[in-house]
Amino acid sequence: MKIKRDDLTGTQVIGLIREHLQGMEKNSPKESIHALDLDALRKPEITFWSAWDGEELLGCGALKELDDQHGEVKSMRTSSAHLRKGVARQILQHIIEVATQRGYQRLSLETGSMDAFEPARKLYANLGFHFCQPFSDYKADPNSVFMTKEF
């Protein structure tokens, strides 16, 4: 697997972001969806990566800089053809590595509280994230779970 910084212009990546947003709409009430669209992912405070096996897109993930010591994991998505193969784990490990290289003291995320998000919550917990209160501009929401990892 090759993880590379991505400019979000390729058709496969655009399709995966579309799939990600549709998945959020399917599993979360509209007012509780915090997934970013393509324009939001292209903002300068966000670094976006895609994971590839040759010409085949495996997944993606992003890191949003909240401030010089705190980052947020965004847009974690594995292509439906590659679920349960460790793609998300490798992308998240890459994001954690970049966050530590940038000198962040904390890396946080928001994910859904519904059953569909249980695999993601388990992955985050396995990589050292623990539950926390809402951070940044988030508000308490029964449909959201907040997790963080300190370095």
Side-chain angles (χ1 to χ4, degrees), residues 29-133:
K30 185 174 180 144
E31 67 275 7
S32 297
I33 296 174
H34 303 287
L36 302 176
D37 64 16
L38 287 168
D39 288 336
L41 286 168
R42 291 183 179 125
K43 291 192 175 182
E45 65 271 18
I46 296 178
T47 307
F48 182 88
W49 294 275
S50 55
W52 300 83
D53 181 8
E55 297 295 314
E56 190 168 3
L57 178 61
L58 306 177
C60 64
L63 176 58
K64 178 179 181 181
E65 183 169 295
L66 299 175
D67 62 43
D68 64 352
Q69 295 186 359
H70 191 187
E72 179 182 3
V73 176
K74 297 297 291 183
S75 301
M76 289 288 300
R77 184 69 178 200
T78 300
S79 170
S80 55
H82 296 284
L83 294 171
R84 313 291 179 257
K85 295 180 181 177
V87 173
R89 176 178 291 275
Q90 288 187 54
I91 293 169
L92 185 56
Q93 287 173 324
H94 180 80
I95 291 171
I96 292 168
E97 181 179 309
V98 171
T100 58
Q101 289 170 355
R102 290 182 180 179
Y104 293 166
Q105 300 299 308
R106 184 173 161 207
L107 186 59
S108 302
L109 61 92
E110 179 275 337
T111 190
S113 63
M114 292 68 81
D115 290 345
F117 298 95
E118 180 64 21
R121 292 191 303 268
K122 284 183 179 178
L123 171 65
Y124 298 135
N126 285 339
L127 288 176
F129 288 82
H130 61 274
F131 296 104
C132 66
Q133 294 299 311

